[in-house]
Amino acid sequence: MGTSPKHEHETVDEDVEDDLGQVGGIETYPLNTLLIRAEPRVIADVLRRIEKGAIKLDPDFERDFVWDDARQSRLVESVLMRIPLPVFYLAEDAKGPLVVVDGLQRLTTFRRFYAGELKLHLPERDDLHGLEFSDLPQSLQDRFEDGPLMFYLIDPSVPDSVRLDIFERVNSGVPLTRQQMRNALYNGPATKLLRELASSQVFLNATGRSLSNTKRLRAMADREAVNRFVAHFTLGPNNY
């Protein structure tokens, strides 16, 4: 991506706007204690770590992957042209894999191309148009695998509320919603429950399916509503 391909902006409904700048966020965190380190990686190593589970792509995000073939192809073309890419932000977990929040579209594109799931759609480039990774000459395969990436890793000691604020500030395209960030950082039984409740007939009837169209509103607006209800129901109005 000559400059990186940008996500298309979606309108955010004010009624479901996220609670940014919450108390206890980045504004209250000591200036000299924010632990973030930079690590250079190459694409082949990152994809190997994703395959091993050492780097986790949010599975719900992958199901909702929205980049078309042309946008994905321009990103791969940029790598083959040795154009530097924007940085990636990940959160470290002392007990688990690295969690990707900023860079999911790009890493998913790399994974798809490397796995033979993407044919390059570059009609103005006869040398690349219609090719899969395995069709590339060896020199270009090596160039793709050796494509340099810069990771910024946020230390697990950084509080959760601060990590969410960091991701909200640095997201390079359309900012991810807070619910998308939570879904990436805490993917497990709780996020599975939110997905099941948001797709239940009871919820769809109660909301008239008004929160289920992510293209019209924003990604995971339905799960955000369920999350808020569960918090209000379990904690009570005073602690909510």
Side-chain angles (χ1 to χ4, degrees):
M1 56 194 180
T3 54
S4 68
K6 299 294 184 182
H7 309 271
E8 293 182 0
H9 286 271
E10 294 181 1
T11 301
V12 177
D13 191 303
E14 292 181 358
D15 292 336
V16 292
E17 182 68 73
D18 283 316
D19 51 338
L20 303 180
Q22 59 188 355
V23 175
I26 199 169
E27 292 82 1
T28 64
Y29 202 65
L31 285 175
N32 296 325
T33 56
L34 191 59
L35 302 178
I36 302 178
R37 72 177 190 277
E39 285 192 4
R41 305 283 178 95
V42 297
I43 290 176
D45 176 60
V46 171
L47 295 178
R48 179 179 59 82
R49 290 169 184 264
I50 290 172
E51 184 68 23
K52 286 173 50 182
I55 296 175
K56 184 171 70 173
L57 298 182
D58 178 6
D60 286 329
F61 181 94
E62 284 218 61
R63 278 192 285 271
D64 297 330
F65 183 64
V66 297
W67 276 16
D68 60 22
D69 286 353
R71 185 171 297 182
Q72 295 176 72
S73 299
R74 288 195 298 271
L75 174 61
V76 173
E77 178 191 29
S78 295
V79 172
L80 297 178
M81 294 176 68
R82 299 191 179 97
I83 296 174
L85 305 182
V87 299
F88 296 76
Y89 282 84
L90 298 89
E92 290 186 303
D93 186 330
K95 299 180 180 179
L98 294 173
V99 177
V100 181
V101 174
D102 186 54
L104 283 167
Q105 298 270 13
R106 289 173 284 158
L107 290 181
T108 300
T109 295
F110 295 151
R111 187 199 61 75
R112 294 189 70 244
F113 182 63
Y114 201 56
E117 299 172 9
L118 170 67
K119 289 186 177 182
L120 295 178
H121 181 76
L122 299 166
E124 297 181 358
R125 296 197 67 106
D126 294 337
D127 53 342
L128 295 177
H129 183 59
L131 300 186
E132 298 178 0
F133 175 78
S134 60
D135 298 324
L136 295 176
Q138 187 62 50
S139 60
L140 290 184
Q141 290 188 22
D142 293 343
R143 188 179 301 177
F144 177 82
E145 292 179 335
D146 295 338
L149 307 177
M150 179 58 71
F151 278 15
Y152 280 100
L153 306 179
I154 299 175
D155 193 88
S157 65
V158 176
D160 289 347
S161 60
V162 177
R163 289 200 295 176
L164 289 172
D165 279 342
I166 292 169
F167 288 132
E168 188 273 329
R169 290 185 180 211
V170 304
N171 191 250
S172 60
V174 164
L176 297 175
T177 66
R178 299 289 274 211
Q179 188 58 40
Q180 282 179 306
M181 296 179 202
R182 295 185 192 106
N183 201 74
L185 290 170
Y186 314 121
N187 196 270
T191 51
K192 180 181 178 182
L193 175 63
L194 288 181
R195 180 170 64 249
E196 292 174 352
L197 292 176
S199 61
S200 68
Q201 197 61 48
V202 172
F203 178 81
L204 295 175
N205 291 340
T207 59
R209 298 178 180 268
S210 60
L211 296 179
S212 302
N213 188 339
T214 58
K215 295 296 184 183
R216 185 173 66 82
L217 284 173
R218 55 151 192 158
M220 298 191 180
D222 51 353
R223 295 181 212 182
E224 175 72 13
V226 173
N227 195 28
R228 289 173 181 267
F229 168 78
V230 171
H232 194 282
F233 183 78
T234 57
L235 299 176
N238 293 331
N239 293 325
Y240 170 77

